[in-house]
Amino acid sequence: MPLNAADLDAHGLVQFPTVVGGIVAVVNIEGIKSGDITLDGPTLARIFLGEIRSWNHAALRKLNPGAKLPSQPIVVVRRSDGSGTTFVFTDYLAKMSQEWRSRIGSITSVEWPVGIGARGNEGVVSTVARTKGAIGYVEYAYAKQNRLAYTTLINKAGKAIAPTIGSFAAAAANANWDAAPGFGVILTNESGAETWPVTSATFVLMRKQPSDPAAASAALKFFDWVYANGGKMAEELDYVPMPAGVAGAIRKLWASEIKDASGAPVYAAKQ
């Protein structure tokens, strides 16, 4: 969850994104594999509110006329610990549902109305995997690497989209990264026909005047190398590198904001 301008200023911090990833709904329904079920935001919110309790509910049948949906109870699995994953997922649900927005809200830890709690993405993965009829939310990398079935989602353009590196990259490309201080843009329900609607960057925080300028310089040198050379490695880990234009803006931020006691930049990136 990125910090806002007031918090950044109050604590003397600089914030910048590193990579972009997607959050997916994963299910454990016999005979259902990835992509067999399509959900939209309002229906997903109703499931996590406890209003839709069976897999053959009329709302699910309407979205999935060709799927064999069982008359099986839905078991909601959600995080029991605070997490950025929860923040992004609940931010999406709040945008999709007035009831969710007013009753639950969006932050790193919320008062869930229903469900089984599990710690970390790993906990949600293992709980969904062993619970028949379960639905949970995890980072895409965890779903893919643990071979859990994930749903498609109907995006802002009204198109059913699968979670892929390409659909995460579309969200990053369509975002207005200048819209918030510290690049703190929430990439949920972004525009674009190919955009995955539950996407987020992960963020780094550094002090504007670090107590150890040499260590800060080394860290920035590493991130500079990452932006220039780490894209393929990010994709191999099921994440998306930052767009080149954003990386350039981040380098300028370092030069203007992260300085030693004399006021000189601690690291001069090559533009």
Side-chain angles (χ1 to χ4, degrees), residues 248-264:
I250 291 167
R251 292 183 177 102
K252 291 178 181 177
L253 176 75
W254 297 342
S256 65
E257 295 289 335
I258 305 178
K259 299 181 178 181
D260 62 20
S262 72

Side-chain angles (χ1 to χ4, degrees), residues 111-203:
E111 291 293 329
W112 296 98
V114 293
I116 299 171
R119 288 190 64 82
N121 282 285
E122 303 91 339
V124 174
V125 163
S126 62
T127 303
V128 170
R130 67 172 182 264
T131 307
K132 298 298 183 183
I135 183 170
Y137 63 95
V138 295
E139 288 186 48
Y140 171 72
Y142 287 86
K144 182 180 176 182
Q145 293 161 18
N146 290 278
R147 299 180 180 178
L148 288 181
Y150 50 77
T151 75
T152 60
L153 275 177
I154 296 176
N155 65 14
K156 190 174 186 177
K159 185 176 177 181
I161 291 291
T164 64
I165 292 297
S167 61
F168 305 156
N174 289 324
N176 178 10
W177 290 96
D178 297 325
F183 306 91
V185 179
I186 312 304
L187 302 177
T188 54
N189 202 36
E190 285 289 318
S191 60
E194 302 304 319
T195 295
W196 179 253
V198 197
T199 310
S200 175
T202 116
F203 295 89

Side-chain angles (χ1 to χ4, degrees), residues 31-114:
I32 296 295
K33 60 184 185 299
S34 290
D36 284 354
I37 290 180
T38 296
L39 298 175
D40 60 18
T43 303
L44 190 60
R46 291 180 66 195
I47 290 172
F48 277 81
L49 283 167
E51 295 176 0
I52 295 177
R53 302 188 179 192
S54 173
W55 282 111
N56 67 348
H57 187 281
L60 295 173
R61 294 200 310 272
K62 183 177 180 181
L63 287 167
N64 300 277
K68 295 182 179 179
L69 296 172
S71 58
Q72 182 178 32
I74 295 175
V75 181
V76 169
V77 181
R78 37 62 172 189
R79 293 284 287 268
S80 60
D81 55 328
S83 75
T85 306
T86 291
F87 165 68
V88 176
F89 185 69
T90 57
D91 181 84
Y92 173 68
L93 296 185
K95 288 176 179 175
M96 296 294 100
S97 164
Q98 168 61 37
E99 184 179 1
W100 187 279
R101 188 160 59 251
S102 60
R103 280 185 54 195
I104 312 299
S106 175
I107 199 167
T108 55
S109 183
V110 299
E111 291 293 329
W112 296 98
V114 293

